[in-house]
Amino acid sequence: MKNFIQDDNLLNKKEIDFVNKTILDHSFPWYYNEESNKGDNYWFYSHCVIQRIELGGGNTSHISSFCISLLNKFCKKHKIKYEKILRCCLNTNFPQENKSSMHTDHDSDYNHLLVYLTDNKEGQTILYKDDKKTVYKKIKPKQFRAVSFPKCWHIGTSPKKNRRVVLVYTFK
């Protein structure tokens, strides 16, 4: 897969402090979702930062400006131009037996940016080739690791303990 980028040095100390004191704080608002993809019964919590473009778009969170600045920083650093953010949210999942479904996030072409926010070595993201059977890459979570890749079939897995928090962007 061309255009796969992994950056383990995106966030500076001030940004890390913000994540730790705001997003990872016990008072941060999370919202329950019964399924990740239609019919998979894979429950998780989310926090919408920028509403899906299909639903009208727009900033929906008190941390929207912080998240937009991180995307801009990543794109500037890696010389990526984008026209619009299709969605941005925080997802957190916990150990569970149910599995999320393999999926793409939008029908049209787009790029992902994932930023792993917790120090959990489990809960990888698996990218598949177009045949939906061949694994292209398994992304191991590392706190503050940022990864970007174009539209592809993918799945996020559950951690075996604690929680996994990922900041997710789709953009084009």
Side-chain angles (χ1 to χ4, degrees):
M1 176 181 300
K2 63 180 186 173
N3 300 328
F4 179 86
I5 299 168
Q6 180 174 304
D7 185 341
D8 288 344
N9 298 300
L10 179 64
L11 280 74
N12 62 33
K13 184 180 179 341
K14 184 177 176 185
E15 293 159 340
I16 289 170
D17 286 345
F18 179 86
V19 167
N20 286 328
K21 292 177 182 173
T22 305
I23 297 169
L24 299 179
D25 186 78
H26 294 290
S27 66
F28 189 77
W30 292 98
Y31 303 92
Y32 177 74
N33 297 268
E34 291 182 349
E35 54 190 11
S36 176
N37 298 288
K38 190 161 179 66
D40 67 7
N41 296 316
Y42 185 78
W43 62 271
F44 69 106
Y45 289 86
S46 67
H47 179 96
C48 183
V49 176
I50 298 172
Q51 187 178 51
R52 284 181 168 274
I53 199 87
E54 301 92 338
L55 300 175
N59 298 350
T60 58
S61 174
H62 64 288
I63 64 164
S64 294
S65 61
F66 171 79
C67 294
I68 292 168
S69 71
L70 271 186
L71 175 63
N72 290 338
K73 180 179 178 179
F74 179 86
C75 288
K76 182 178 180 181
K77 181 176 181 180
H78 296 284
K79 298 179 174 70
I80 298 169
K81 293 182 182 179
Y82 73 92
E83 296 171 21
K84 59 186 163 187
I85 299 171
L86 303 177
R87 80 176 179 110
C88 177
C89 66
L90 287 152
N91 291 338
T92 185
N93 60 337
F94 299 86
Q96 63 175 292
E97 291 182 19
N98 293 337
K99 307 280 187 231
S100 177
S101 316
M102 185 186 319
H103 65 281
T104 59
D105 290 34
H106 306 278
D107 292 334
S108 62
D109 287 340
Y110 64 93
N111 291 301
H112 287 96
L113 174 61
L114 306 180
V115 183
Y116 296 91
L117 300 182
T118 44
D119 185 20
N120 194 329
K121 307 292 185 244
E122 300 167 339
Q124 62 189 349
T125 303
I126 304 170
L127 310 182
Y128 292 87
K129 293 187 178 181
D130 288 338
D131 66 8
K132 301 184 203 176
K133 296 176 185 172
T134 308
V135 173
Y136 165 72
K137 188 166 209 53
K138 292 182 178 181
I139 304 167
K140 294 183 180 182
K142 178 181 177 188
Q143 191 170 29
F144 307 121
R145 170 173 285 162
V147 294
S148 181
F149 51 92
K151 177 183 179 180
C152 70
W153 292 94
H154 63 281
I155 189 169
T157 63
S158 293
K160 292 193 180 3
K161 59 183 178 177
N162 300 320
R163 69 177 177 158
R164 169 188 187 254
V165 178
V166 181
L167 176 58
V168 179
Y169 303 83
T170 58
F171 61 97
K172 67 186 222 172

